[in-house]
Amino acid sequence: MSKKEKNDKIRVAIACQGGGSHTAFTAGVLKRLLREEEKKFEITALSGTSGGAICALLAWYGLLMKDKNKAISLLDDFWEDNSASSYWDMMVNNWFVGTARMQDMISIPEVSPYSYPPIAQDILRNLLNKHVKFGKIETLREPSSPKLFIGAVDVHSGGFKVFKSNGKENDISVDAVLASAAIPTFLRAVCIDNNFYWDGLFSQNPPIKEFIKGHHAEEKPDEIWVIQINPEKRKKLPESIKDIQDRRNELSGNLSLNQEIDFIKRVNKWTKYLPPKKYKPVEVQKIEMLKEDLDTASKLDRSPSFIKYMMDYGDEQAEIFLNKWSPKV
């Protein structure tokens, strides 16, 4: 692959891992990347699962309008609206988080999400429709527009599903985002075209291989930046049931991510034997959430103070990343 000219920007695809309220960290990262004034990069694609899918959607929608400030405000506004700001909402939030933390100490009966009205899903649907005009997406899309990929899993077949914005038909809809965020123990499966889908955490978390599909090397990203929510490493051995469950949750959430990254690395090794007009090596880098003191239950925490804490931390980690980053091509 020929070296880029000095004035050319690096083509970057951003993959956003899922993780409930922890993905407020992702919103903070994206806001900082979007605010970068002297950009040596351009965002050509985003992907995400669950909360990561929501963040990717909001940033992508702003970029479709060619307005990075709009993308930033969408991320801010959504997370503000999603926060438990009223007295009763805060009470419910504290109950959910507290109950999740007590599960290793007392036996708490599990209740199917089909046993009560889908209130949470309806609230999320209304929030998404408030901030994203899905009916206008097709009028905003251009051949040069950034792409969006949202991961989910087909409940019946077990097959991975990626909803895509590229191609002649746009798959991105409010139902696609709700499907990616449908945690089976809390939310109902989402039906799209007679198929039922669950949370993308069970499939590609997040989709990455989609970034390098295509017929022309110049259309593919030069780098993939992964915003990783689940810690890759832990210093302490988990011994309590709660700590063991937390670590198991983290490891399971990283399984598909590491498989996707390994695939990219294998293709990179093959590129020297493949047609350069179609294939090129793609650098993979991570912006990681490194807070070991956060447990799985905190992924349910929508308190304004916690959401702000996570967004500020994402901003800090993105700043550190940008200060160290230099183009590899």
Side-chain angles (χ1 to χ4, degrees), residues 273-285:
Y273 306 111
L274 298 171
K277 290 185 178 181
K278 187 173 181 180
Y279 299 95
K280 67 179 181 182
V282 178
E283 181 78 14
V284 179
Q285 304 200 57

Side-chain angles (χ1 to χ4, degrees), residues 58-74:
L58 296 168
W60 174 75
Y61 186 64
L63 292 174
L64 280 187
M65 292 186 280
K66 301 178 181 179
D67 188 344
K68 68 176 185 179
N69 291 325
K70 177 64 174 179
I72 292 169
S73 66
L74 282 170

Side-chain angles (χ1 to χ4, degrees), residues 21-185:
S21 292
H22 287 187
T23 50
F25 168 86
T26 301
V29 171
L30 290 172
K31 284 168 54 183
R32 176 62 189 89
L33 298 180
L34 290 163
R35 287 200 312 269
E36 182 67 9
E37 292 297 335
E38 297 181 6
K39 280 188 178 177
K40 298 177 182 177
F41 62 89
E42 62 173 328
I43 300 171
T44 60
L46 295 109
S47 73
T49 58
S50 198
I54 293 173
C55 291
L57 167 75
L58 296 168
W60 174 75
Y61 186 64
L63 292 174
L64 280 187
M65 292 186 280
K66 301 178 181 179
D67 188 344
K68 68 176 185 179
N69 291 325
K70 177 64 174 179
I72 292 169
S73 66
L74 282 170
L75 289 161
D76 274 329
D77 294 344
F78 173 86
W79 281 102
E80 181 179 351
D81 286 348
N82 190 48
S83 297
S85 53
S86 71
Y87 174 79
W88 290 110
D89 199 7
M90 181 61 77
M91 292 288 287
V92 171
N93 177 74
N94 292 342
W95 182 85
F96 267 112
V97 176
T99 301
R101 288 191 172 126
M102 288 192 297
Q103 283 183 334
D104 64 323
M105 295 181 284
I106 59 176
S107 178
I108 299 174
E110 294 185 358
V111 181
S112 167
Y114 296 89
S115 300
Y116 49 84
I119 297 173
Q121 231 153 358
D122 290 341
I123 291 173
L124 181 54
R125 179 186 295 276
N126 291 337
L127 270 181
L128 290 170
N129 281 324
K130 174 183 176 181
H131 297 290
V132 176
K133 307 304 179 186
F134 289 91
K136 292 185 177 181
I137 286 176
E138 200 55 38
T139 62
L140 294 170
R141 281 203 313 148
E142 298 176 356
S144 60
S145 296
K147 299 178 178 63
L148 178 64
F149 304 98
I150 291 176
V153 65
D154 188 306
V155 179
H156 291 299
S157 71
F160 295 173
K161 173 66 177 179
V162 179
F163 298 97
K164 309 171 185 178
S165 71
N166 63 326
K168 294 182 180 179
E169 295 184 8
N170 168 47
D171 291 337
I172 305 302
S173 66
V174 66
D175 283 334
V177 183
L178 288 171
S180 184
I183 302 173
T185 52

